[in-house]
Amino acid sequence: MIFHVLTIFPEFFRGPFEHGVLARAVHTNKIQIRIHDLRQWTFDRHRSVDDRPFGGGEGMLMKPEPIFLAAQTILPEKSDNKKIALLSAQGRLFNQATARRWSELDEILLICGRYEGVDERVAEHLADDEVSIGDFVLSGGELGAALIIDAVARLVPGVLGNEASSENESFTGGLLDCPQFTRPADFRGHTVPEVLLGGNHEEIRKWRRSSALAKTARNRPDLLPKI
């Protein structure tokens, strides 16, 4: 799978993809990550990517022309397996279901917004999806793009050493993951639940399910009606 990132700060991505699972996936060619500088598609001497909004208002907006030109160069032919996504505070919430759907694509282009936002014609006439990583506002889409690539890439076949790792974790089936424990069994008087030490796999399975429900109810009760 190929991830494209369109940004005015290409140097931002020098570190996030050079460690752990993503670095191994790139090294073994399970995925490719290509960073594109939006200013390559500007033609004035200031390499301008923004302008004042019509109707007045605070700040500047990213112009549509460089973004359209860049997208049409990077993905000259869109298809069901090649998508464009705009990162925006006005977008639909990115979640695990979105990550799984995108992990089946051949290529995706992530457009990183900046300033006060992006000309609406990008969302309406270029992007296939407009997504947000949460109900908060960031200075730009670069952090969101890094998070999305990590979330999607680990679901691409072959990226994780153990494919079951992505099947038994938070949001799989709608629940948060169950509590996990490792050695020592007794740490400062805090002990591991006895059921996990007994070796009865059916009882462990039941405990994990009930514990996952309890943790979801405690930390994310909004998820329970969807289960």
Side-chain angles (χ1 to χ4, degrees), residues 97-131:
T98 312
R100 289 196 176 277
R101 188 171 70 251
W102 286 2
S103 71
E104 299 175 357
L105 298 174
D106 293 330
E107 297 185 59
I108 188 167
L109 169 60
L110 302 174
I111 300 172
C112 300
R114 274 275 160 180
Y115 309 115
E116 288 298 311
V118 179
D119 187 293
E120 186 65 18
R121 286 166 288 191
V122 173
E124 289 187 359
H125 304 295
L126 179 65
D128 299 294
D129 288 294
E130 184 178 9
V131 297

Side-chain angles (χ1 to χ4, degrees), residues 12 24 34 57 74 77 91 93 102 113 122 139 154-155 179 209 215:
F12 176 93
R24 290 195 299 271
R34 302 177 184 177
I74 296 165
E77 295 183 5
L93 191 64
W102 286 2
V122 173
S139 299
R154 63 194 306 279
L155 300 177
R209 174 70 178 181
K215 191 157 192 174

Side-chain angles (χ1 to χ4, degrees), residues 21-97:
V21 170
L22 288 186
R24 290 195 299 271
V26 171
H27 180 71
T28 56
N29 205 35
K30 297 292 192 302
I31 64 170
Q32 297 180 39
I33 302 173
R34 302 177 184 177
I35 310 301
H36 306 273
D37 186 351
L38 178 62
R39 296 190 191 277
Q40 292 180 358
W41 286 274
T42 58
F43 304 101
D44 64 302
R45 65 188 181 96
H46 298 294
R47 304 180 75 196
S48 303
V49 296
D50 61 320
D51 208 335
R52 293 184 297 275
F54 284 118
E58 300 296 328
M60 305 286 277
L61 290 180
M62 295 184 75
K63 300 192 294 184
E65 183 180 20
I67 297 175
F68 270 77
L69 291 174
Q72 290 161 358
T73 302
I74 296 165
L75 290 181
E77 295 183 5
K78 288 171 59 179
S79 68
D80 289 342
N81 289 321
K82 297 181 180 182
K83 300 292 187 182
I84 297 174
L86 171 65
L87 277 77
S88 160
Q90 292 83 41
R92 287 186 292 270
L93 191 64
F94 177 85
N95 57 23
Q96 191 72 0

